[in-house]
Amino acid sequence: MSQFTQQIILGLLLGGIYVAVALGFSLVWGILNIVNLAHGALVIVGAYITWLLFDRLHVDPFLSLPVDALALFVLGYALQRGVINRVIRAPLLFTFLLTFGINLVIVSLVLLIFTADFRSVTPSYSGNGLHLGSVTIPYIRLGGLAVALLLAGILWAILNRTRIGAAILAVGADRDAAQLVGIDLRHIYALTFAIGAAFAGVAGGIISTSQSITPTAGDPYTLQSFAVVILGGLGRVSATVVGGLAFGLIEVLGQSAPGLGSGYAGAIAFVVLVIVLVVRPRGLLGRLA
Amino acid sequence: MTVGSLLQVDKLTAGFGLTPVLFDVDLELQPGELVAVIGANGAGKSTLLGALSGLVRLERGSVHFGDRRISGLRPEMIVASGLVHVPQGRRLFSTMTVQRNLLLGAYRRRDGRVQQDLQRILQYFPALADKLDRDAGTLSGGEQQMVAIGRGLMARPRLLMIDEPSLGLAPKVVDRVMEIVKTINQDGTAVLLVEQDVVLALEIANRGYVLENGRIAMSGAAADLRRDPAVRKAYLGV
């Protein structure tokens, strides 16, 4: 029983990372209609910034998260305004190709700067955890989940409580109508992408505390973000939260099932994804339209 | 350019891609006027409003609004100058509340009187007052049209361009919407009304333009157009 409880907790904690990673991906997809294949690269840039600050200046990884957010926000704004905006109205294939290319460029640059060596961020508390009876909750992962939920709350508040958020949602809903109320499309596009990138950066900072990072370590997170958004549904912050947590749970519970092992983690999750697509294509909480 | 015009359109040619939809359109509107643009489906009425609000690219010609040339400006700058377009089919942000839709209309305004204006505009549309927290998509067609016009008014336009407000509405509701359009105009806002319902449009307008195959075929006082045999035959079915 306590074994099962432990698995549930580990699944939710892993899910927290998926929530953090997928929030920005989901925002950019939902508003700009871009499936951003460079998302994982943005994640890993955030991870390296956290590592750099930890390694050189001994900054606590959780304290470096705002730096990740700010740096990636600026990078994201420039990337969208300077490059991606040129194909914003082009067919999906063009944005696929372009963001795939951006991913390659960023990963190569990271490789040049940081080499392919494994890096890890190991603050003094990294091996510790909360012991409740026979169940253990690692502090690092708990902090990650807390940050993920905080990010979700911030995104929800931006979208639903601010003037800029209303403009972002308006652009996502109807570009022409948004322009007719006076919204500067180019600015909102860039801002949306910048927020998505900032969230990716923070997710990267969290990830650097729980796994070793390499320049290509972000790539799987693009795919997993995609899966989380399909699972949860597009167009709602709550859907990404539910999708991320569910994805983490499925992955952890699946590999502890009899006859399966950790090698099946990815496969199980994607089988569930296919089932969701067949049975409920709009995802667990997605909007109909 | 005619002295004192609020809107002055000269030799406007515009459209999508290679083939223009509008050819050499001349149009002029005085402050405080209510001018109707009538014409059949596909005559280019909506394209004309799109060209004026910056959504449709101009190939030739110029548009002056007040004392500024606005042709070539981005749509948000045109809105900021006081020329506001209420598009065909309402185009509300349907998953947002009525209040948020209305407030988005004031997106470019930085003055502190937005809340005050919201109350003022609700006086035109009392039916909306207790529906501010509903999602706009859940309202009836007539109410949605009111939100669309209200959203346009929230920008404090000097000229409000309304595209087919009667589309898809029950006759009684159409009358109510037209009454509101007229009241808005009487309160000082100039209106450019695009309408397929020619009878209604010429009833409330001061002047009218008849658009045929992308060209201005006729123009004049609304009362004269109503009596014109060609207009009667083509659009009134008599």
Side-chain angles (χ1 to χ4, degrees), chain A residues 175-234:
Chain A
R175 290 174 185 184
D176 285 347
Q179 285 188 285
L180 290 182
V181 297
I183 293 169
D184 179 355
L185 223 47
R186 296 171 306 176
H187 174 60
I188 295 297
Y189 281 155
L191 192 66
T192 306
F193 197 86
I195 294 172
F199 279 37
V202 174
I206 296 171
I207 285 166
S208 75
T209 62
S210 56
Q211 71 171 74
S212 320
I213 53 171
T214 62
T216 54
D219 292 350
Y221 287 105
T222 304
L223 198 58
Q224 277 149 349
S225 300
F226 186 79
V228 166
V229 174
I230 297 287
L231 189 59
L234 196 58

Short mmCIF file of all heavy atoms in Angstrom, two decimals, chain A residues 175-234:
data_model
loop_
_atom_site.label_atom_id
_atom_site.label_comp_id
_atom_site.label_asym_id
_atom_site.label_seq_id
_atom_site.Cartn_x
_atom_site.Cartn_y
_atom_site.Cartn_z
N ARG A 175 -7.88 36.97 -34.95
CA ARG A 175 -6.84 37.95 -35.23
C ARG A 175 -7.40 39.24 -35.80
O ARG A 175 -6.99 40.34 -35.40
CB ARG A 175 -5.83 37.37 -36.23
CG ARG A 175 -5.00 36.27 -35.63
CD ARG A 175 -4.11 35.62 -36.66
NE ARG A 175 -3.43 34.50 -36.02
CZ ARG A 175 -2.51 33.75 -36.60
NH1 ARG A 175 -2.16 33.98 -37.84
NH2 ARG A 175 -1.94 32.76 -35.95
N ASP A 176 -8.34 39.13 -36.75
CA ASP A 176 -8.88 40.34 -37.37
C ASP A 176 -9.66 41.18 -36.36
O ASP A 176 -9.46 42.39 -36.26
CB ASP A 176 -9.80 39.97 -38.54
CG ASP A 176 -8.99 39.53 -39.76
OD1 ASP A 176 -7.77 39.75 -39.76
OD2 ASP A 176 -9.60 38.97 -40.69
N ALA A 177 -10.54 40.51 -35.59
CA ALA A 177 -11.32 41.24 -34.60
C ALA A 177 -10.40 41.90 -33.58
O ALA A 177 -10.65 43.01 -33.12
CB ALA A 177 -12.31 40.31 -33.91
N ALA A 178 -9.31 41.23 -33.25
CA ALA A 178 -8.35 41.80 -32.30
C ALA A 178 -7.74 43.07 -32.86
O ALA A 178 -7.61 44.08 -32.17
CB ALA A 178 -7.26 40.78 -31.96
N GLN A 179 -7.41 43.04 -34.15
CA GLN A 179 -6.84 44.24 -34.77
C GLN A 179 -7.85 45.38 -34.80
O GLN A 179 -7.49 46.53 -34.65
CB GLN A 179 -6.39 43.93 -36.20
CG GLN A 179 -5.12 43.13 -36.27
CD GLN A 179 -4.62 43.02 -37.70
OE1 GLN A 179 -5.17 42.28 -38.49
NE2 GLN A 179 -3.59 43.77 -38.02
N LEU A 180 -9.12 45.01 -34.97
CA LEU A 180 -10.15 46.05 -35.08
C LEU A 180 -10.44 46.74 -33.74
O LEU A 180 -11.07 47.79 -33.72
CB LEU A 180 -11.44 45.47 -35.66
CG LEU A 180 -11.35 45.09 -37.14
CD1 LEU A 180 -12.69 44.58 -37.65
CD2 LEU A 180 -10.88 46.26 -37.99
N VAL A 181 -10.04 46.14 -32.62
CA VAL A 181 -10.16 46.89 -31.36
C VAL A 181 -8.86 47.62 -31.04
O VAL A 181 -8.74 48.24 -29.99
CB VAL A 181 -10.59 46.01 -30.16
CG1 VAL A 181 -11.96 45.41 -30.39
CG2 VAL A 181 -9.57 44.94 -29.85
N GLY A 182 -7.89 47.53 -31.95
CA GLY A 182 -6.68 48.32 -31.77
C GLY A 182 -5.50 47.57 -31.17
O GLY A 182 -4.54 48.19 -30.70
N ILE A 183 -5.56 46.25 -31.19
CA ILE A 183 -4.45 45.47 -30.65
C ILE A 183 -3.34 45.37 -31.69
O ILE A 183 -3.59 45.03 -32.85
CB ILE A 183 -4.93 44.07 -30.23
CG1 ILE A 183 -5.89 44.18 -29.04
CG2 ILE A 183 -3.76 43.15 -29.90
CD1 ILE A 183 -6.62 42.90 -28.70
N ASP A 184 -2.11 45.68 -31.28
CA ASP A 184 -0.95 45.56 -32.16
C ASP A 184 -0.55 44.09 -32.21
O ASP A 184 0.07 43.57 -31.29
CB ASP A 184 0.19 46.44 -31.61
CG ASP A 184 1.44 46.34 -32.48
OD1 ASP A 184 1.44 45.52 -33.43
OD2 ASP A 184 2.39 47.09 -32.20
N LEU A 185 -0.91 43.46 -33.33
CA LEU A 185 -0.72 42.02 -33.47
C LEU A 185 0.75 41.62 -33.26
O LEU A 185 1.05 40.65 -32.56
CB LEU A 185 -1.15 41.63 -34.89
CG LEU A 185 -1.96 40.38 -35.08
CD1 LEU A 185 -3.09 40.30 -34.09
CD2 LEU A 185 -2.50 40.33 -36.51
N ARG A 186 1.66 42.38 -33.87
CA ARG A 186 3.08 41.99 -33.82
C ARG A 186 3.59 41.97 -32.39
O ARG A 186 4.34 41.09 -31.99
CB ARG A 186 3.92 42.96 -34.66
CG ARG A 186 3.59 42.92 -36.14
CD ARG A 186 4.30 44.03 -36.86
NE ARG A 186 4.01 45.33 -36.25
CZ ARG A 186 4.56 46.46 -36.63
NH1 ARG A 186 5.43 46.48 -37.62
NH2 ARG A 186 4.24 47.59 -36.04
N HIS A 187 3.17 42.97 -31.61
CA HIS A 187 3.63 43.04 -30.23
C HIS A 187 3.05 41.88 -29.41
O HIS A 187 3.78 41.24 -28.64
CB HIS A 187 3.21 44.38 -29.61
CG HIS A 187 3.51 44.49 -28.15
ND1 HIS A 187 4.79 44.40 -27.65
CD2 HIS A 187 2.71 44.67 -27.08
CE1 HIS A 187 4.75 44.51 -26.33
NE2 HIS A 187 3.49 44.68 -25.96
N ILE A 188 1.76 41.61 -29.60
CA ILE A 188 1.14 40.54 -28.81
C ILE A 188 1.70 39.17 -29.20
O ILE A 188 1.92 38.32 -28.34
CB ILE A 188 -0.40 40.59 -28.95
CG1 ILE A 188 -0.95 41.88 -28.34
CG2 ILE A 188 -1.06 39.37 -28.27
CD1 ILE A 188 -0.70 42.04 -26.85
N TYR A 189 1.93 38.97 -30.49
CA TYR A 189 2.59 37.72 -30.91
C TYR A 189 3.91 37.54 -30.18
O TYR A 189 4.20 36.49 -29.61
CB TYR A 189 2.89 37.76 -32.41
CG TYR A 189 1.74 37.47 -33.33
CD1 TYR A 189 1.74 37.96 -34.63
CD2 TYR A 189 0.66 36.69 -32.92
CE1 TYR A 189 0.70 37.69 -35.51
CE2 TYR A 189 -0.38 36.43 -33.80
CZ TYR A 189 -0.36 36.93 -35.08
OH TYR A 189 -1.39 36.67 -35.94
N ALA A 190 4.74 38.58 -30.25
CA ALA A 190 6.08 38.49 -29.66
C ALA A 190 5.99 38.31 -28.15
O ALA A 190 6.73 37.52 -27.56
CB ALA A 190 6.89 39.73 -30.02
N LEU A 191 5.05 39.04 -27.54
CA LEU A 191 4.89 38.96 -26.09
C LEU A 191 4.45 37.55 -25.67
O LEU A 191 4.96 37.00 -24.68
CB LEU A 191 3.85 39.99 -25.66
CG LEU A 191 3.74 40.27 -24.18
CD1 LEU A 191 5.00 40.95 -23.68
CD2 LEU A 191 2.54 41.17 -23.91
N THR A 192 3.52 36.98 -26.41
CA THR A 192 3.04 35.64 -26.09
C THR A 192 4.18 34.63 -26.19
O THR A 192 4.37 33.79 -25.30
CB THR A 192 1.92 35.23 -27.07
OG1 THR A 192 0.91 36.22 -27.05
CG2 THR A 192 1.33 33.89 -26.68
N PHE A 193 4.95 34.73 -27.26
CA PHE A 193 6.08 33.82 -27.42
C PHE A 193 7.11 34.03 -26.31
O PHE A 193 7.68 33.08 -25.77
CB PHE A 193 6.74 34.02 -28.79
CG PHE A 193 7.62 32.88 -29.21
CD1 PHE A 193 7.09 31.78 -29.85
CD2 PHE A 193 8.98 32.90 -28.94
CE1 PHE A 193 7.90 30.71 -30.22
CE2 PHE A 193 9.79 31.84 -29.29
CZ PHE A 193 9.26 30.74 -29.94
N ALA A 194 7.30 35.30 -25.93
CA ALA A 194 8.26 35.62 -24.87
C ALA A 194 7.83 35.01 -23.54
O ALA A 194 8.65 34.47 -22.79
CB ALA A 194 8.40 37.14 -24.74
N ILE A 195 6.53 35.09 -23.24
CA ILE A 195 6.03 34.49 -22.00
C ILE A 195 6.22 32.97 -22.04
O ILE A 195 6.67 32.36 -21.07
CB ILE A 195 4.54 34.85 -21.77
CG1 ILE A 195 4.39 36.36 -21.53
CG2 ILE A 195 3.96 34.08 -20.59
CD1 ILE A 195 2.95 36.84 -21.50
N GLY A 196 5.91 32.38 -23.21
CA GLY A 196 6.11 30.94 -23.36
C GLY A 196 7.57 30.56 -23.14
O GLY A 196 7.88 29.58 -22.47
N ALA A 197 8.48 31.36 -23.69
CA ALA A 197 9.91 31.09 -23.54
C ALA A 197 10.35 31.26 -22.09
O ALA A 197 11.14 30.47 -21.56
CB ALA A 197 10.71 32.01 -24.46
N ALA A 198 9.83 32.30 -21.43
CA ALA A 198 10.19 32.54 -20.03
C ALA A 198 9.78 31.34 -19.17
O ALA A 198 10.54 30.89 -18.31
CB ALA A 198 9.51 33.81 -19.52
N PHE A 199 8.58 30.81 -19.44
CA PHE A 199 8.11 29.65 -18.68
C PHE A 199 8.98 28.44 -18.99
O PHE A 199 9.31 27.65 -18.09
CB PHE A 199 6.64 29.36 -19.00
CG PHE A 199 5.68 30.23 -18.24
CD1 PHE A 199 5.97 31.56 -17.99
CD2 PHE A 199 4.50 29.72 -17.76
CE1 PHE A 199 5.11 32.36 -17.28
CE2 PHE A 199 3.61 30.52 -17.03
CZ PHE A 199 3.92 31.84 -16.80
N ALA A 200 9.39 28.30 -20.26
CA ALA A 200 10.30 27.20 -20.62
C ALA A 200 11.60 27.33 -19.85
O ALA A 200 12.15 26.33 -19.36
CB ALA A 200 10.56 27.21 -22.12
N GLY A 201 12.10 28.56 -19.72
CA GLY A 201 13.34 28.79 -19.01
C GLY A 201 13.25 28.37 -17.55
O GLY A 201 14.15 27.71 -17.01
N VAL A 202 12.15 28.74 -16.91
CA VAL A 202 11.95 28.36 -15.50
C VAL A 202 11.87 26.84 -15.38
O VAL A 202 12.47 26.23 -14.48
CB VAL A 202 10.68 29.01 -14.93
CG1 VAL A 202 10.40 28.50 -13.53
CG2 VAL A 202 10.83 30.52 -14.92
N ALA A 203 11.15 26.21 -16.33
CA ALA A 203 11.05 24.75 -16.32
C ALA A 203 12.45 24.14 -16.43
O ALA A 203 12.78 23.17 -15.73
CB ALA A 203 10.16 24.28 -17.47
N GLY A 204 13.28 24.73 -17.28
CA GLY A 204 14.66 24.24 -17.43
C GLY A 204 15.43 24.35 -16.13
O GLY A 204 16.18 23.43 -15.75
N GLY A 205 15.24 25.47 -15.42
CA GLY A 205 15.90 25.63 -14.13
C GLY A 205 15.52 24.53 -13.17
O GLY A 205 16.37 23.96 -12.46
N ILE A 206 14.24 24.19 -13.14
CA ILE A 206 13.77 23.11 -12.26
C ILE A 206 14.38 21.78 -12.67
O ILE A 206 14.87 21.00 -11.83
CB ILE A 206 12.22 23.00 -12.33
CG1 ILE A 206 11.57 24.26 -11.80
CG2 ILE A 206 11.75 21.79 -11.55
CD1 ILE A 206 10.07 24.28 -12.04
N ILE A 207 14.38 21.55 -13.98
CA ILE A 207 14.88 20.27 -14.50
C ILE A 207 16.36 20.07 -14.14
O ILE A 207 16.79 18.96 -13.82
CB ILE A 207 14.65 20.21 -16.03
CG1 ILE A 207 13.17 19.96 -16.30
CG2 ILE A 207 15.51 19.14 -16.68
CD1 ILE A 207 12.74 20.19 -17.71
N SER A 208 17.12 21.17 -14.16
CA SER A 208 18.56 21.03 -13.89
C SER A 208 18.83 20.51 -12.48
O SER A 208 19.90 20.00 -12.20
CB SER A 208 19.25 22.38 -14.09
OG SER A 208 18.97 23.24 -13.00
N THR A 209 17.84 20.64 -11.59
CA THR A 209 18.08 20.17 -10.21
C THR A 209 17.78 18.69 -10.05
O THR A 209 18.14 18.08 -9.05
CB THR A 209 17.18 20.93 -9.20
OG1 THR A 209 15.81 20.66 -9.52
CG2 THR A 209 17.44 22.41 -9.24
N SER A 210 17.08 18.08 -11.03
CA SER A 210 16.69 16.69 -10.83
C SER A 210 17.27 15.74 -11.88
O SER A 210 17.02 14.55 -11.83
CB SER A 210 15.16 16.56 -10.79
OG SER A 210 14.60 17.10 -11.96
N GLN A 211 18.00 16.25 -12.84
CA GLN A 211 18.67 15.36 -13.79
C GLN A 211 19.93 16.04 -14.31
O GLN A 211 20.06 17.26 -14.21
CB GLN A 211 17.74 15.02 -14.95
CG GLN A 211 17.49 16.20 -15.89
CD GLN A 211 16.74 15.80 -17.16
OE1 GLN A 211 15.54 15.55 -17.13
NE2 GLN A 211 17.46 15.75 -18.28
N SER A 212 20.85 15.24 -14.87
CA SER A 212 22.02 15.85 -15.48
C SER A 212 21.60 16.48 -16.79
O SER A 212 20.70 15.98 -17.45
CB SER A 212 23.09 14.81 -15.79
OG SER A 212 23.17 13.89 -14.77
N ILE A 213 22.24 17.59 -17.14
CA ILE A 213 21.86 18.24 -18.38
C ILE A 213 22.98 18.19 -19.40
O ILE A 213 24.17 18.25 -19.07
CB ILE A 213 21.40 19.69 -18.15
CG1 ILE A 213 22.46 20.47 -17.37
CG2 ILE A 213 20.07 19.72 -17.44
CD1 ILE A 213 22.16 21.95 -17.29
N THR A 214 22.58 18.05 -20.65
CA THR A 214 23.47 18.13 -21.80
C THR A 214 22.76 19.02 -22.82
O THR A 214 21.57 19.30 -22.66
CB THR A 214 23.70 16.75 -22.44
OG1 THR A 214 22.44 16.26 -22.91
CG2 THR A 214 24.27 15.75 -21.45
N PRO A 215 23.47 19.45 -23.86
CA PRO A 215 22.81 20.34 -24.83
C PRO A 215 21.56 19.74 -25.47
O PRO A 215 20.64 20.47 -25.85
CB PRO A 215 23.90 20.60 -25.87
CG PRO A 215 25.16 20.49 -25.10
CD PRO A 215 24.93 19.39 -24.10
N THR A 216 21.49 18.43 -25.60
CA THR A 216 20.33 17.83 -26.25
C THR A 216 19.28 17.33 -25.26
O THR A 216 18.27 16.75 -25.64
CB THR A 216 20.73 16.64 -27.14
OG1 THR A 216 21.48 15.75 -26.33
CG2 THR A 216 21.53 17.09 -28.34
N ALA A 217 19.53 17.57 -23.96
CA ALA A 217 18.62 17.01 -22.95
C ALA A 217 17.22 17.64 -23.01
O ALA A 217 16.28 17.13 -22.42
CB ALA A 217 19.21 17.19 -21.56
N GLY A 218 17.09 18.76 -23.73
CA GLY A 218 15.78 19.39 -23.80
C GLY A 218 14.86 18.76 -24.82
O GLY A 218 13.64 18.88 -24.72
N ASP A 219 15.45 18.07 -25.79
CA ASP A 219 14.64 17.57 -26.90
C ASP A 219 13.44 16.72 -26.48
O ASP A 219 12.34 16.93 -26.99
CB ASP A 219 15.51 16.81 -27.90
CG ASP A 219 16.47 17.74 -28.64
OD1 ASP A 219 16.30 18.97 -28.50
OD2 ASP A 219 17.37 17.25 -29.34
N PRO A 220 13.62 15.76 -25.56
CA PRO A 220 12.44 14.95 -25.20
C PRO A 220 11.30 15.80 -24.63
O PRO A 220 10.14 15.43 -24.75
CB PRO A 220 12.98 14.01 -24.12
CG PRO A 220 14.44 14.02 -24.25
CD PRO A 220 14.82 15.34 -24.84
N TYR A 221 11.65 16.94 -24.04
CA TYR A 221 10.61 17.74 -23.41
C TYR A 221 9.68 18.39 -24.44
O TYR A 221 8.54 18.73 -24.12
CB TYR A 221 11.22 18.79 -22.49
CG TYR A 221 11.75 18.16 -21.23
CD1 TYR A 221 13.11 17.99 -21.03
CD2 TYR A 221 10.87 17.69 -20.25
CE1 TYR A 221 13.60 17.38 -19.89
CE2 TYR A 221 11.35 17.07 -19.11
CZ TYR A 221 12.71 16.91 -18.94
OH TYR A 221 13.18 16.30 -17.81
N THR A 222 10.15 18.59 -25.65
CA THR A 222 9.26 19.10 -26.70
C THR A 222 8.15 18.08 -26.96
O THR A 222 6.96 18.42 -26.98
CB THR A 222 10.04 19.35 -28.00
OG1 THR A 222 11.12 20.25 -27.74
CG2 THR A 222 9.13 19.95 -29.06
N LEU A 223 8.60 16.83 -27.12
CA LEU A 223 7.64 15.76 -27.40
C LEU A 223 6.68 15.58 -26.22
O LEU A 223 5.48 15.41 -26.38
CB LEU A 223 8.41 14.47 -27.67
CG LEU A 223 7.66 13.36 -28.37
CD1 LEU A 223 7.15 13.86 -29.71
CD2 LEU A 223 8.57 12.15 -28.57
N GLN A 224 7.24 15.61 -25.01
CA GLN A 224 6.40 15.41 -23.84
C GLN A 224 5.41 16.57 -23.65
O GLN A 224 4.26 16.35 -23.26
CB GLN A 224 7.26 15.21 -22.59
CG GLN A 224 7.73 13.76 -22.50
CD GLN A 224 9.07 13.59 -21.84
OE1 GLN A 224 9.78 14.56 -21.61
NE2 GLN A 224 9.43 12.35 -21.53
N SER A 225 5.85 17.78 -23.98
CA SER A 225 4.91 18.91 -23.90
C SER A 225 3.75 18.69 -24.86
O SER A 225 2.59 18.93 -24.54
CB SER A 225 5.61 20.22 -24.29
OG SER A 225 6.68 20.47 -23.43
N PHE A 226 4.10 18.23 -26.05
CA PHE A 226 3.08 17.94 -27.06
C PHE A 226 2.07 16.93 -26.49
O PHE A 226 0.86 17.13 -26.57
CB PHE A 226 3.78 17.38 -28.30
CG PHE A 226 2.87 17.18 -29.47
CD1 PHE A 226 2.48 18.26 -30.26
CD2 PHE A 226 2.41 15.93 -29.80
CE1 PHE A 226 1.64 18.08 -31.35
CE2 PHE A 226 1.57 15.74 -30.88
CZ PHE A 226 1.18 16.81 -31.66
N ALA A 227 2.60 15.87 -25.89
CA ALA A 227 1.74 14.83 -25.34
C ALA A 227 0.86 15.39 -24.22
O ALA A 227 -0.34 15.09 -24.15
CB ALA A 227 2.60 13.68 -24.81
N VAL A 228 1.43 16.23 -23.37
CA VAL A 228 0.67 16.79 -22.25
C VAL A 228 -0.49 17.65 -22.77
O VAL A 228 -1.61 17.57 -22.26
CB VAL A 228 1.59 17.64 -21.34
CG1 VAL A 228 0.77 18.50 -20.38
CG2 VAL A 228 2.54 16.74 -20.58
N VAL A 229 -0.22 18.43 -23.81
CA VAL A 229 -1.25 19.32 -24.33
C VAL A 229 -2.37 18.51 -24.98
O VAL A 229 -3.56 18.80 -24.82
CB VAL A 229 -0.66 20.34 -25.33
CG1 VAL A 229 -1.77 21.16 -25.99
CG2 VAL A 229 0.30 21.27 -24.60
N ILE A 230 -2.00 17.45 -25.71
CA ILE A 230 -3.02 16.58 -26.31
C ILE A 230 -3.85 15.93 -25.21
O ILE A 230 -5.08 15.87 -25.27
CB ILE A 230 -2.36 15.49 -27.18
CG1 ILE A 230 -1.60 16.10 -28.33
CG2 ILE A 230 -3.42 14.50 -27.68
CD1 ILE A 230 -2.45 16.68 -29.42
N LEU A 231 -3.15 15.45 -24.18
CA LEU A 231 -3.82 14.75 -23.09
C LEU A 231 -4.77 15.67 -22.34
O LEU A 231 -5.92 15.34 -22.08
CB LEU A 231 -2.75 14.19 -22.14
CG LEU A 231 -3.19 13.23 -21.03
CD1 LEU A 231 -3.85 12.01 -21.63
CD2 LEU A 231 -1.97 12.80 -20.21
N GLY A 232 -4.28 16.85 -21.98
CA GLY A 232 -5.10 17.75 -21.18
C GLY A 232 -6.10 18.52 -22.02
O GLY A 232 -7.22 18.77 -21.60
N GLY A 233 -5.69 18.91 -23.20
CA GLY A 233 -6.54 19.72 -24.06
C GLY A 233 -5.92 21.10 -24.23
O GLY A 233 -5.21 21.59 -23.35
N LEU A 234 -6.26 21.74 -25.36
CA LEU A 234 -5.68 23.03 -25.70
C LEU A 234 -6.59 24.15 -25.22
O LEU A 234 -7.79 24.00 -25.16
CB LEU A 234 -5.51 23.09 -27.22
CG LEU A 234 -4.59 24.16 -27.80
CD1 LEU A 234 -3.18 24.02 -27.25
CD2 LEU A 234 -4.56 24.06 -29.32
#
